Amino acid sequence: MSEKKLHLKVLTHEKVVFDSDVDAIYASGEKGEFGVLPGHIPFMTALKIGVTRAIIGENTVFIAIMGGAFQIKDNEAIILSDVAELAEDIDVARAKEAKDRAEARLGSQDTALDRRRAEIALAKAVARLKASAKKA
């Protein structure tokens, strides 16, 4: 690997979602957005639900990440997540339906509603829709 590249691997329990050399990585950490370039110091953080961008030359790869952990050391970056999807693999119709269901639950007056669960479902659907809208 060139000294001017990072290697990013995105893993779930089931598969390797992404595994390639990249020029830069931008992700949503629990404490805010961050970017990583080649030569970055070792760093580890929790990820929140959001869209991770991997820059490869003139192209950008969008990955919906449903939380997890990010680590970089010696230009080797790894994201571990229960769920991660490349933009082109996202079922947009299903994500829109999930978003609509979550918004309807949050708008209801049901006192037995698990608001946190509905908020998480909404955040996941929005992340999928954002990633899929930006696919190249």
Side-chain angles (χ1 to χ4, degrees):
M1 173 175 36
S2 165
E3 195 59 36
K4 295 183 180 179
K5 294 276 189 183
L6 298 163
H7 188 84
L8 174 61
K9 187 179 278 191
V10 179
L11 303 166
T12 68
H13 299 291
E14 299 167 352
K15 64 182 178 177
V16 176
V17 175
F18 183 83
D19 187 3
S20 183
D21 287 347
V22 301
D23 298 307
I25 304 163
Y26 299 95
S28 300
E30 288 291 337
K31 295 186 178 183
E33 301 290 321
F34 66 91
V36 175
L37 299 171
H40 200 287
I41 63 169
F43 168 71
M44 186 172 187
T45 190
L47 295 174
K48 66 180 186 177
I49 297 168
V51 178
T52 294
R53 294 177 291 138
I55 310 300
I56 306 170
E58 299 293 319
N59 299 315
T60 302
V61 175
F62 296 94
I63 309 165
I65 302 288
M66 305 306 156
F70 174 90
Q71 178 181 326
I72 180 79
K73 182 180 178 190
D74 299 329
N75 288 330
E76 295 284 335
I78 189 164
I79 292 176
L80 301 173
S81 180
D82 288 335
V83 178
E85 296 169 275
L86 291 172
E88 58 267 18
D89 295 338
I90 293 171
D91 182 337
V92 176
R94 186 170 169 229
K96 285 180 182 175
E97 290 171 6
K99 179 180 178 279
D100 292 343
R101 277 194 312 273
E103 288 174 338
R105 281 188 299 200
L106 288 170
S108 80
Q109 300 301 319
D110 184 359
T111 56
L113 172 72
D114 183 347
R115 290 196 67 78
R116 184 67 185 138
R117 197 168 138 210
E119 289 167 351
I120 291 170
L122 179 59
K124 287 179 177 181
V126 168
R128 285 184 173 107
L129 290 171
K130 281 183 181 178
S132 66
K134 295 177 180 179
K135 64 184 172 188

